[in-house]
């Protein structure tokens, strides 16, 4: 699982748990601030898990990358997939 933490000395999350990377936190905060006024239920939504896979890694930097993101609001969970 790809991850980055604020504190490099911290213990890694348990299997299946995702860690929010430091560069994504400002973007997450800005989007939430802008959208939560119109969509208050977003306050409960958070990242549950994510996986990054490089498809056909022998292609180097031109290889396709697939990202699977699992989100939850505490009651339900859902996923999205992106490929570049």
């Amino acid at each position: 699982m790809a991850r980055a933490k604020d504190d490099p000395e911290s213990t890694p999350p348990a299997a299946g748990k995702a860690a929010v990377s430091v560069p994504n936190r400002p973007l997450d905060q800005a989007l939430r601030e802008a959208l939560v006024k119109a969509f208050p239920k977003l306050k409960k939504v958070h990242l549950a898990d994510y996986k990054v896979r490089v498809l056909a890694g022998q292609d180097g930097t031109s290889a396709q990358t697939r990202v699977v993101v699992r989100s939850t609001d505490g009651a339900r969970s859902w996923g999205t997939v992106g490929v570049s």
Side-chain angles (χ1 to χ4, degrees):
M1 172 174 36
R3 67 181 182 85
K5 293 289 286 179
D6 300 41
D7 179 6
E9 300 299 319
S10 67
T11 57
K17 300 290 181 181
V20 177
S21 67
V22 176
N24 291 337
R25 189 169 301 138
L27 176 60
D28 178 62
Q29 289 172 341
L31 285 171
R32 284 178 186 275
E33 186 177 318
L35 295 174
V36 80
K37 294 170 189 164
F39 305 99
K41 291 183 180 182
L42 285 176
K43 287 180 186 179
K44 294 182 179 181
V45 175
H46 66 273
L47 176 68
D49 190 21
Y50 70 98
K51 296 177 185 172
V52 178
R53 295 221 172 136
V54 177
L55 310 175
Q58 69 273 13
D59 294 338
T61 57
S62 65
Q64 284 190 327
T65 304
R66 179 174 64 196
V67 179
V68 179
V69 176
R70 298 285 314 162
S71 301
T72 184
D73 62 4
R76 298 170 293 174
S77 67
W78 59 93
T80 48
V81 178
V83 178
S84 67

